[in-house]
Amino acid sequence: MSYTCGICQKRHPDLPTDVAFGRPDPVLDLSPAQRKRRAKESDDLCAIDGQLHFLRGVLMLPSASEPSEYFGWGVWAHVSGEAFHRYIALWSADGTSEPPYSGTLASRIPGYPPTLGLPCRVQLRSGSERPALTVLAPEHPLFHEQAEGITQARWHALLQVALPSLFT
């Protein structure tokens, strides 16, 4: 199934393999005036008042039928100031040998019970890859989908919720 990308406006032959969130929800929840005054933000890092620190990572859901393929949620994690600054220090380096950071999801992911504040592990990867996020709450469907994978039907259902314009 082909689709037209809402970002580049080009037609692509396959469905998207990921959905990205531009900013963490706590930044988006600020009024425009508060955001301008209180938030420092980029496509990979955000901070509010120099006290709340966020980094963007990828929460990968493997395909149940093809484990080498995955659907990725490009979401944000709230991390400690120490983890945030360590990530910046290692920006272009290979961080795969770094111990994982503790965090909580800072994105509301459609198609799931509440995700904001879910505990997660943040594992740095190579300098060219965003960190890998792993949900640590065994009662949440994301935990199971990360561990067991998702079917093609579920992949499509997630896209229908997150990117409904692809299916109209």
Side-chain angles (χ1 to χ4, degrees), residues 1-3 12-16:
M1 174 193 298
S2 66
Y3 74 101
H12 297 282
D14 297 312
L15 288 173

Side-chain angles (χ1 to χ4, degrees), residues 43-60:
D43 290 341
D44 295 293
L45 300 163
C46 289
I48 298 174
D49 300 328
Q51 301 295 314
L52 298 173
H53 301 90
F54 307 93
L55 56 84
R56 189 162 147 194
V58 181
L59 197 154
M60 295 175 267

Side-chain angles (χ1 to χ4, degrees), residues 27-91:
V27 170
L28 297 175
D29 291 342
L30 296 171
S31 71
Q34 287 179 322
R35 187 170 167 180
K36 185 175 182 179
R37 188 176 74 255
R38 299 175 56 201
K40 290 184 73 172
E41 52 187 297
S42 76
D43 290 341
D44 295 293
L45 300 163
C46 289
I48 298 174
D49 300 328
Q51 301 295 314
L52 298 173
H53 301 90
F54 307 93
L55 56 84
R56 189 162 147 194
V58 181
L59 197 154
M60 295 175 267
L61 307 178
S63 166
S65 60
E66 190 62 47
S68 63
E69 294 180 10
Y70 71 89
F71 177 83
W73 287 113
V75 296
W76 292 81
H78 174 230
V79 296
S80 70
E82 181 181 342
F84 182 82
H85 293 292
R86 180 69 178 150
Y87 179 52
I88 292 170
L90 294 170
W91 186 256

Side-chain angles (χ1 to χ4, degrees), residues 10-166:
K10 292 182 183 174
R11 193 124 187 99
H12 297 282
D14 297 312
L15 288 173
T17 57
D18 57 20
V19 173
F21 294 73
R23 295 292 184 268
D25 280 19
V27 170
L28 297 175
D29 291 342
L30 296 171
S31 71
Q34 287 179 322
R35 187 170 167 180
K36 185 175 182 179
R37 188 176 74 255
R38 299 175 56 201
K40 290 184 73 172
E41 52 187 297
S42 76
D43 290 341
D44 295 293
L45 300 163
C46 289
I48 298 174
D49 300 328
Q51 301 295 314
L52 298 173
H53 301 90
F54 307 93
L55 56 84
R56 189 162 147 194
V58 181
L59 197 154
M60 295 175 267
L61 307 178
S63 166
S65 60
E66 190 62 47
S68 63
E69 294 180 10
Y70 71 89
F71 177 83
W73 287 113
V75 296
W76 292 81
H78 174 230
V79 296
S80 70
E82 181 181 342
F84 182 82
H85 293 292
R86 180 69 178 150
Y87 179 52
I88 292 170
L90 294 170
W91 186 256
S92 57
D94 183 349
T96 55
S97 62
E98 278 287 299
Y101 308 144
S102 294
T104 58
L105 292 185
S107 300
R108 292 178 188 96
I109 305 174
Y112 292 96
T115 57
L116 198 61
L118 275 178
C120 66
R121 180 175 57 240
V122 179
Q123 180 63 60
L124 301 185
R125 300 190 300 164
S126 73
S128 63
E129 297 177 295
R130 289 195 170 103
L133 306 180
T134 304
V135 171
L136 299 176
E139 71 282 357
H140 200 278
L142 275 170
F143 176 90
H144 297 285
E145 289 181 347
Q146 281 195 296
E148 300 161 13
I150 59 172
T151 64
Q152 288 292 322
R154 177 67 174 149
W155 191 315
H156 286 224
L158 292 173
L159 287 173
Q160 285 180 308
V161 172
L163 303 171
S165 63
L166 292 181

